[in-house]
Amino acid sequence: VQLVESGGGSVQAGGSLRLSCDVSGDTSLTNSMAWFRQAPGKEREGVASTYTRGRKSLYADSVKGRFTISINSARNLLTLQMNNLKPEDTAMYYCASSRFVPYDDDWFIEGQYNGWGQGTQVTVSS
């Protein structure tokens, strides 16, 4: 599976951005897709994950109510709508794919994901 992110940029606090991830290749074994992010000097963390075969999405507490993950299987497109952005959302955002079904206690574990994009930068100024 090949993943290419786009849509990052600079925005003021309170603004919105929409990230996209174009998916290509053999996705027949893909059961979940997710967004992770990594801020300078910090570890990469899970932002949101979605089950590709059903209506199940999971979010980090820090983004609940502000971010929405969605997948368009027909178009092979994963998106992350980010509203009410905060300076602490500043990070490189990565798209990831997995063969595992996401659950509450493991969707955010990097090792669950075997496909990664190159990332897109999001910068939120105060």
Side-chain angles (χ1 to χ4, degrees), residues 4-111:
V4 179
E5 303 94 336
S6 62
S10 297
V11 64
Q12 289 190 329
S16 298
L17 282 173
R18 184 179 180 88
L19 305 183
S20 295
C21 176
D22 288 304
V23 184
S24 60
D26 184 2
T27 60
S28 62
L29 299 180
T30 299
N31 284 303
S32 67
M33 295 201 67
W35 289 96
F36 281 73
R37 67 186 182 186
Q38 187 169 23
K42 295 187 177 181
E43 294 186 353
R44 190 153 54 182
E45 63 175 357
V47 175
S49 180
T50 188
Y51 178 46
T52 60
R53 307 181 193 277
R55 301 171 67 87
K56 177 181 181 180
S57 296
L58 300 162
Y59 295 89
D61 288 342
S62 59
V63 306
K64 280 181 181 177
R66 301 189 296 123
F67 291 11
T68 302
I69 187 171
S70 60
I71 188 165
N72 185 322
S73 297
R75 294 180 56 198
N76 281 352
L77 184 68
L78 178 75
T79 62
L80 183 70
Q81 178 65 43
M82 306 186 295
N83 297 327
N84 190 22
L85 283 160
K86 303 177 180 180
E88 51 262 43
D89 295 318
T90 295
M92 185 72 78
Y93 283 71
Y94 298 90
C95 172
S97 64
S98 172
R99 297 182 177 185
F100 293 98
V101 176
Y103 292 102
D104 289 341
D105 60 349
D106 65 9
W107 68 267
F108 47 85
I109 299 175
E110 282 190 65

